[in-house]
Amino acid sequence: MSHAVRTAAADTAPTDYDELDGAATAAAAGDRDATARLVALLLPLVTRLCRAEFGRGSGSDDLAAGLCPAVAAAVVAARGPRRAERRGMSPLRVAYEATVQHLQGLRPGASDVLDGISRRGREVLTLRLAVGLSVEQTAVALGITAGRVRVEQHRAVTALRGDAAGTTQGADNSAGSTA
């Protein structure tokens, strides 16, 4: 798949999650066309997660294209009889977990503006703002309630505002003390 096609696919509207569920079920039953459709449906989601982690111009689209078959395989495996602990989980949640698992370690020790936020808060902000999922879709992806998504988003945004205000105050104070 060419870079232009991957970029266009990643910039499309959010995936139809019923279609994702149907493709996952059919792929788990051995339908090869459904497997290809599942990869195509997952590509925008995986690309947005990669872009959120590494930025748009850093090869994240190529990384996503490389990860998509593995993420699709995890979604299909979760529907299979050998993965009882994941059976019944939403394909969106399995795809999110598989993508995050693959991305871990690619950026160890990196300092981030989100460092002062809880892990769950970072996940919620990433899915809501960078990936573009709704509150309900984020809840499904993370396996929490929509109300919990709203609470975590509020806490994360409040923490960011506090950090930004502290940084601005610190800059103002240091500027005043050197004059």
Side-chain angles (χ1 to χ4, degrees):
M1 184 183 301
S2 77
H3 178 72
V5 171
R6 284 192 302 269
T7 301
D11 292 333
T12 59
T15 301
D16 177 349
Y17 298 97
D18 290 333
E19 186 178 358
L20 181 66
D21 189 52
T25 301
D31 182 341
R32 289 180 187 236
D33 291 337
T35 302
R37 191 168 70 247
L38 180 62
V39 170
L41 290 169
L42 289 171
L43 182 60
L45 299 170
V46 174
T47 300
R48 289 183 191 124
L49 283 168
C50 290
R51 285 177 179 174
E53 185 66 26
F54 298 107
R56 191 178 263 271
S58 62
S60 54
D61 291 0
D62 293 333
L63 175 62
L67 286 180
C68 246
V71 172
V75 170
V76 170
R79 291 295 169 109
R82 296 185 341 198
R83 295 297 298 263
E85 72 276 5
R86 281 193 164 179
R87 206 167 339 125
M89 282 177 61
S90 146
L92 179 60
R93 182 170 180 194
V94 175
Y96 173 73
E97 289 179 358
T99 303
V100 168
Q101 181 179 357
H102 282 87
L103 292 178
Q104 284 177 343
L106 295 178
R107 205 174 161 193
S111 179
D112 194 324
V113 69
L114 302 180
D115 283 346
I117 299 173
S118 71
R119 180 185 61 82
R120 180 68 72 187
R122 285 191 308 269
E123 290 175 331
V124 167
L125 287 181
T126 298
L127 291 174
R128 293 280 291 128
L129 302 176
V131 178
L133 298 184
S134 69
V135 169
E136 292 75 18
Q137 292 163 340
T138 301
V140 168
L142 297 176
I144 59 177
T145 66
R148 188 77 202 157
V149 169
R150 289 182 186 96
V151 167
E152 292 293 340
Q153 182 173 337
H154 174 74
R155 287 180 178 165
V157 169
T158 299
L160 284 174
R161 285 182 184 143
D163 286 349
T167 302
T168 303
Q169 269 185 339
D172 290 345
N173 289 341
S174 65
S177 65
T178 60

